[in-house]
Amino acid sequence: MPTFRIASPEDADAHAVLVDYFTLRAAEFPGGGYSPTYPTAAAFQAPDGVFLLLEDEGAIVGCGGIRRVGMPDGETDVFEIKHVFLRPETRGRGWGRLLLDELERRARGFGAGALVLDTHHTLEAAGHLYRNSGFAEIPRYNDNPNASRWYRKELHQVNATVTMRSPQEGGRRAPAFLDGRFRPHVRVSGDDEYLGVIFLGATEGKLHPGEPAPIILQLIYDVDNYSKLEPGTEFDVLEGLRIVGRGVVT
């Protein structure tokens, strides 16, 4: 499993992977004319941003960053995702989602209320990843000449307590990790609708069978359904049609 390391985008190793990123984007950009802008260290310093390198077995295999960005309507708690890149030989392993989830986790830690990003419509795999991670297309919010689509994700969250079933009770055989990888459905008591969610948080970073644990529950789609998750609401946790746990909104 790859690891993350905070770096300045002006560090030599970070700059090297950014050169590879911009070179690849320029080669693939339709019609030519790609205009790279190398990031400065000042834009990616806590608590207004961070730049991460993704490493695997000592080698840098990708990068990405978040920075606080001013929006046209004056919002101040919006962070922009920038320079998300994986080396081509690493793609297809789910590391893009892992990187995106880590950037979101860091943004939440800085108090972000929403995430935005821009991309190009020819980057179909990237667009698919963003939409499947809860981003929705929005009007243009900047003047980036390399972008043709703009996305936003509201960082709503619900606090809950969850107890997972044991394998003997029909639950999971492995612990459920709370780093963005565990994406079950929840079914609110008395409601037949299944809501796709991400489980985040908790001290140890995973849920053990039979042990109630605090989590952050985040909807992937249909954010209007947050209205169904009021304090005191009980819900089942499902993988497929199998109930693997039970929870209550706190």
Side-chain angles (χ1 to χ4, degrees), residues 42-50 66-69 79 110:
F44 294 90
Q45 292 182 349
D48 295 318
V50 68
I66 52 170
R67 64 182 184 184
R68 192 182 302 270
V69 63
F79 281 69
F110 293 146

PDB file of all heavy atoms in Angstrom, residues 42-50 66-69 79 110:
ATOM      1  N   ALA A  42       4.213  28.681  -1.238  1.00  0.00           N
ATOM      2  CA  ALA A  42       3.347  29.502  -0.398  1.00  0.00           C
ATOM      3  C   ALA A  42       1.883  29.111  -0.502  1.00  0.00           C
ATOM      4  O   ALA A  42       1.125  29.272   0.461  1.00  0.00           O
ATOM      5  CB  ALA A  42       3.516  30.974  -0.775  1.00  0.00           C
ATOM      6  N   ALA A  43       1.468  28.588  -1.650  1.00  0.00           N
ATOM      7  CA  ALA A  43       0.056  28.247  -1.856  1.00  0.00           C
ATOM      8  C   ALA A  43      -0.346  26.953  -1.175  1.00  0.00           C
ATOM      9  O   ALA A  43      -1.540  26.650  -1.086  1.00  0.00           O
ATOM     10  CB  ALA A  43      -0.239  28.162  -3.352  1.00  0.00           C
ATOM     11  N   PHE A  44       0.625  26.172  -0.715  1.00  0.00           N
ATOM     12  CA  PHE A  44       0.329  24.847  -0.173  1.00  0.00           C
ATOM     13  C   PHE A  44       0.910  24.684   1.228  1.00  0.00           C
ATOM     14  O   PHE A  44       1.531  23.671   1.545  1.00  0.00           O
ATOM     15  CB  PHE A  44       0.858  23.763  -1.118  1.00  0.00           C
ATOM     16  CG  PHE A  44       0.154  23.732  -2.450  1.00  0.00           C
ATOM     17  CD1 PHE A  44       0.627  24.487  -3.510  1.00  0.00           C
ATOM     18  CD2 PHE A  44      -1.001  22.986  -2.626  1.00  0.00           C
ATOM     19  CE1 PHE A  44      -0.027  24.477  -4.735  1.00  0.00           C
ATOM     20  CE2 PHE A  44      -1.665  22.969  -3.844  1.00  0.00           C
ATOM     21  CZ  PHE A  44      -1.179  23.722  -4.904  1.00  0.00           C
ATOM     22  N   GLN A  45       0.686  25.681   2.063  1.00  0.00           N
ATOM     23  CA  GLN A  45       1.160  25.637   3.432  1.00  0.00           C
ATOM     24  C   GLN A  45      -0.030  25.637   4.389  1.00  0.00           C
ATOM     25  O   GLN A  45      -0.974  26.408   4.217  1.00  0.00           O
ATOM     26  CB  GLN A  45       2.076  26.835   3.728  1.00  0.00           C
ATOM     27  CG  GLN A  45       3.400  26.789   2.975  1.00  0.00           C
ATOM     28  CD  GLN A  45       4.309  27.954   3.310  1.00  0.00           C
ATOM     29  OE1 GLN A  45       3.884  28.917   3.950  1.00  0.00           O
ATOM     30  NE2 GLN A  45       5.559  27.870   2.884  1.00  0.00           N
ATOM     31  N   ALA A  46       0.043  24.780   5.406  1.00  0.00           N
ATOM     32  CA  ALA A  46      -1.014  24.703   6.411  1.00  0.00           C
ATOM     33  C   ALA A  46      -1.133  26.034   7.147  1.00  0.00           C
ATOM     34  O   ALA A  46      -0.125  26.712   7.365  1.00  0.00           O
ATOM     35  CB  ALA A  46      -0.702  23.576   7.387  1.00  0.00           C
ATOM     36  N   PRO A  47      -2.343  26.439   7.518  1.00  0.00           N
ATOM     37  CA  PRO A  47      -3.617  25.706   7.406  1.00  0.00           C
ATOM     38  C   PRO A  47      -4.399  26.008   6.128  1.00  0.00           C
ATOM     39  O   PRO A  47      -5.579  25.739   6.066  1.00  0.00           O
ATOM     40  CB  PRO A  47      -4.384  26.217   8.626  1.00  0.00           C
ATOM     41  CG  PRO A  47      -3.954  27.657   8.726  1.00  0.00           C
ATOM     42  CD  PRO A  47      -2.505  27.668   8.331  1.00  0.00           C
ATOM     43  N   ASP A  48      -3.724  26.549   5.143  1.00  0.00           N
ATOM     44  CA  ASP A  48      -4.405  26.927   3.904  1.00  0.00           C
ATOM     45  C   ASP A  48      -4.108  25.981   2.755  1.00  0.00           C
ATOM     46  O   ASP A  48      -4.539  26.229   1.623  1.00  0.00           O
ATOM     47  CB  ASP A  48      -4.015  28.351   3.504  1.00  0.00           C
ATOM     48  CG  ASP A  48      -4.505  29.382   4.507  1.00  0.00           C
ATOM     49  OD1 ASP A  48      -5.651  29.259   4.966  1.00  0.00           O
ATOM     50  OD2 ASP A  48      -3.734  30.294   4.843  1.00  0.00           O
ATOM     51  N   GLY A  49      -3.402  24.918   3.024  1.00  0.00           N
ATOM     52  CA  GLY A  49      -3.127  23.964   1.965  1.00  0.00           C
ATOM     53  C   GLY A  49      -2.061  22.968   2.362  1.00  0.00           C
ATOM     54  O   GLY A  49      -1.417  23.084   3.410  1.00  0.00           O
ATOM     55  N   VAL A  50      -1.872  21.975   1.503  1.00  0.00           N
ATOM     56  CA  VAL A  50      -0.823  20.977   1.695  1.00  0.00           C
ATOM     57  C   VAL A  50      -0.549  20.318   0.345  1.00  0.00           C
ATOM     58  O   VAL A  50      -1.447  20.202  -0.495  1.00  0.00           O
ATOM     59  CB  VAL A  50      -1.231  19.907   2.743  1.00  0.00           C
ATOM     60  CG1 VAL A  50      -2.374  19.025   2.223  1.00  0.00           C
ATOM     61  CG2 VAL A  50      -0.046  19.044   3.152  1.00  0.00           C
ATOM     62  N   ILE A  66      -3.934  20.410  -2.082  1.00  0.00           N
ATOM     63  CA  ILE A  66      -5.132  21.215  -1.853  1.00  0.00           C
ATOM     64  C   ILE A  66      -4.685  22.599  -1.423  1.00  0.00           C
ATOM     65  O   ILE A  66      -3.645  22.761  -0.775  1.00  0.00           O
ATOM     66  CB  ILE A  66      -6.066  20.617  -0.767  1.00  0.00           C
ATOM     67  CG1 ILE A  66      -5.281  20.324   0.520  1.00  0.00           C
ATOM     68  CG2 ILE A  66      -6.797  19.395  -1.281  1.00  0.00           C
ATOM     69  CD1 ILE A  66      -6.157  19.975   1.698  1.00  0.00           C
ATOM     70  N   ARG A  67      -5.485  23.604  -1.796  1.00  0.00           N
ATOM     71  CA  ARG A  67      -5.194  24.973  -1.385  1.00  0.00           C
ATOM     72  C   ARG A  67      -6.508  25.715  -1.186  1.00  0.00           C
ATOM     73  O   ARG A  67      -7.486  25.455  -1.884  1.00  0.00           O
ATOM     74  CB  ARG A  67      -4.340  25.689  -2.430  1.00  0.00           C
ATOM     75  CG  ARG A  67      -5.031  25.867  -3.774  1.00  0.00           C
ATOM     76  CD  ARG A  67      -4.128  26.537  -4.778  1.00  0.00           C
ATOM     77  NE  ARG A  67      -4.835  26.793  -6.035  1.00  0.00           N
ATOM     78  CZ  ARG A  67      -4.270  27.303  -7.119  1.00  0.00           C
ATOM     79  NH1 ARG A  67      -2.978  27.585  -7.118  1.00  0.00           N
ATOM     80  NH2 ARG A  67      -4.980  27.522  -8.216  1.00  0.00           N
ATOM     81  N   ARG A  68      -6.520  26.615  -0.229  1.00  0.00           N
ATOM     82  CA  ARG A  68      -7.687  27.453  -0.030  1.00  0.00           C
ATOM     83  C   ARG A  68      -7.828  28.375  -1.232  1.00  0.00           C
ATOM     84  O   ARG A  68      -6.842  28.946  -1.715  1.00  0.00           O
ATOM     85  CB  ARG A  68      -7.547  28.266   1.254  1.00  0.00           C
ATOM     86  CG  ARG A  68      -8.841  28.956   1.689  1.00  0.00           C
ATOM     87  CD  ARG A  68      -8.601  29.776   2.952  1.00  0.00           C
ATOM     88  NE  ARG A  68      -8.109  28.980   4.057  1.00  0.00           N
ATOM     89  CZ  ARG A  68      -8.880  28.366   4.947  1.00  0.00           C
ATOM     90  NH1 ARG A  68     -10.206  28.454   4.838  1.00  0.00           N
ATOM     91  NH2 ARG A  68      -8.351  27.684   5.941  1.00  0.00           N
ATOM     92  N   VAL A  69      -9.051  28.517  -1.718  1.00  0.00           N
ATOM     93  CA  VAL A  69      -9.260  29.309  -2.928  1.00  0.00           C
ATOM     94  C   VAL A  69     -10.440  30.247  -2.724  1.00  0.00           C
ATOM     95  O   VAL A  69     -11.448  29.877  -2.102  1.00  0.00           O
ATOM     96  CB  VAL A  69      -9.493  28.387  -4.154  1.00  0.00           C
ATOM     97  CG1 VAL A  69     -10.748  27.554  -3.978  1.00  0.00           C
ATOM     98  CG2 VAL A  69      -9.563  29.179  -5.444  1.00  0.00           C
ATOM     99  N   PHE A  79     -11.724  24.689  -0.595  1.00  0.00           N
ATOM    100  CA  PHE A  79     -10.368  24.275  -0.964  1.00  0.00           C
ATOM    101  C   PHE A  79     -10.394  23.658  -2.364  1.00  0.00           C
ATOM    102  O   PHE A  79     -11.339  22.948  -2.718  1.00  0.00           O
ATOM    103  CB  PHE A  79      -9.821  23.254   0.040  1.00  0.00           C
ATOM    104  CG  PHE A  79      -9.313  23.883   1.309  1.00  0.00           C
ATOM    105  CD1 PHE A  79     -10.190  24.467   2.218  1.00  0.00           C
ATOM    106  CD2 PHE A  79      -7.956  23.906   1.597  1.00  0.00           C
ATOM    107  CE1 PHE A  79      -9.740  25.048   3.391  1.00  0.00           C
ATOM    108  CE2 PHE A  79      -7.487  24.478   2.770  1.00  0.00           C
ATOM    109  CZ  PHE A  79      -8.379  25.057   3.666  1.00  0.00           C
ATOM    110  N   PHE A 110      -8.552  21.083   7.828  1.00  0.00           N
ATOM    111  CA  PHE A 110      -8.341  22.527   7.755  1.00  0.00           C
ATOM    112  C   PHE A 110      -9.650  23.307   7.852  1.00  0.00           C
ATOM    113  O   PHE A 110      -9.647  24.528   7.737  1.00  0.00           O
ATOM    114  CB  PHE A 110      -7.644  22.897   6.441  1.00  0.00           C
ATOM    115  CG  PHE A 110      -6.231  22.390   6.320  1.00  0.00           C
ATOM    116  CD1 PHE A 110      -5.721  21.997   5.090  1.00  0.00           C
ATOM    117  CD2 PHE A 110      -5.402  22.308   7.431  1.00  0.00           C
ATOM    118  CE1 PHE A 110      -4.422  21.541   4.967  1.00  0.00           C
ATOM    119  CE2 PHE A 110      -4.094  21.854   7.317  1.00  0.00           C
ATOM    120  CZ  PHE A 110      -3.601  21.466   6.083  1.00  0.00           C
TER     121      PHE A 110
END
